[in-house]
């Protein structure tokens, strides 16, 4: 082998760790930006999450409008009742978004490298590749974070002791995240933390649809304008979430019901839960609370994408200011 060829091979080998480290840093930057964006967006819209969750898990006889639900919560629990479970929700969304964006960017990078090796004209993800990336990231996220959301749903739906806030009963001390977790372990065992995991895995279709729609709209906008700003991400995120949540809402209701099912109550699987809701409440029971949920989901997603893009741009700017490290030997 000639000397120039040997130098080229050696340079390629030396560059590999640098490229890998740079990609790893970029994945973490996306994950941190997603976690930060999730915290900010959820904090802004959490009262709507409370209203939607309680509407989903109420019995049919406790049906009330969104306005009546908000009024009763404030009357019984004060304004803080609208933020029941906020601490676990913020922790949950930070972990959820970190895991999701890390795995999504990791998968995206793999597809982009494959596109370059194949000599494809564009390394942008195709619709199928976006869906596969979303499926991998979503499944990993569900399995890791489901216990957090079980605790959060229990706190949100039963913030006044063991009674639902819309039923008659004297309010007791509001449970904390730790006390709710301990109570779950003591009364129902560790398996309770994975209640609703099957419909949650089915609901991976929600982020698949959301991010596929977002990515394809973003690619189209980039072809026209060259760069997508946080304001553009706000609107594209809202469109993607609106379509995804509207399609998957019945499964969201089933997952919430399974999260709050007590150990002594009916232990239905996903299909049995679906049949029970239809039998006892009609098809409308599957869409209970859809108004505040869709509103909250769309607003949260819009802010999430806007905040994430802004935070990621800030992280890129900060990393450029850090002096370059010495090359690996």
């Amino acid at each position: 082998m000639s000397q120039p060829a040997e130098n080229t091979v050696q340079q390629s080998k030396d560059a590999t760790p640098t490229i890998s480290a740079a990609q790893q840093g970029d994945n973490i930057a996306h994950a941190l930006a997603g976690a930060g964006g999730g915290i900010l967006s959820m904090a802004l819209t959490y009262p709507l999450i409370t209203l939607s969750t309680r509407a989903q898990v109420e019995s049919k006889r406790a049906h009330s409008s969104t306005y009546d639900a908000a009024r009763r919560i404030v009357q019984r629990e004060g304004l803080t009742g609208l933020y029941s479970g906020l601490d676990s929700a913020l922790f949950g969304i930070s972990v959820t978004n970190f895991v999701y964006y890390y795995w999504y960017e990791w998968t995206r990078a793999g597809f982009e490298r494959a596109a370059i090796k194949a000599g494809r004209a564009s390394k942008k993800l195709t619709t199928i590749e976006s869906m596969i990336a979303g499926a991998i990231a979503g499944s990993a996220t569900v399995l890791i974070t489901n216990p957090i959301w079980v605790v959060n749903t229990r706190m949100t739906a039963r913030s006044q002791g063991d009674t639902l806030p819309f039923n008659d009963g004297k309010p007791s001390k509001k449970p904390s995240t730790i006390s709710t977790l301990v109570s779950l372990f003591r009364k129902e065992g560790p398996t309770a933390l994975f209640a609703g995991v099957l419909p949650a895995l089915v609901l991976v279709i929600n982020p698949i649809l959301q991010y596929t729609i977002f990515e394809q709209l973003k690619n189209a906008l980039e072809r026209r304008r060259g760069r997508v700003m946080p304001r553009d991400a706000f609107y594209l995120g809202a469109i993607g979430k609106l379509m995804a949540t509207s399609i998957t809402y019945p499964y969201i209701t089933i997952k919430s019901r399974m999260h709050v099912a007590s150990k002594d109550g009916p232990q239905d699987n996903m299909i049995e839960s679906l049949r029970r809701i239809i039998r006892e409440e009609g098809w409308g029971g599957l869409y209970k609370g859809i108004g505040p949920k869709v509103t909250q989901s769309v607003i949260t997603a819009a802010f999430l994408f806007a905040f994430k893009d802004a935070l990621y741009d800030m992280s890129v700017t900060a990393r450029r200011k850090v002096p370059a490290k010495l090359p690996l030997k």
Side-chain angles (χ1 to χ4, degrees), residues 38 41-56 82 84-86 89 93 149 152-153 156-157 256 289 292-293 295-297 300:
S41 58
M42 177 163 282
L44 287 173
T45 61
Y46 195 76
L48 288 172
I49 298 177
T50 300
L51 294 173
S52 174
T53 302
R54 293 192 181 185
Q56 286 168 345
L82 295 172
S84 297
L86 178 61
I93 198 65
W149 294 116
N152 172 254
T153 304
T156 305
S256 294
K293 179 61 179 179
T295 303
Q296 173 269 322
S297 295
T300 301

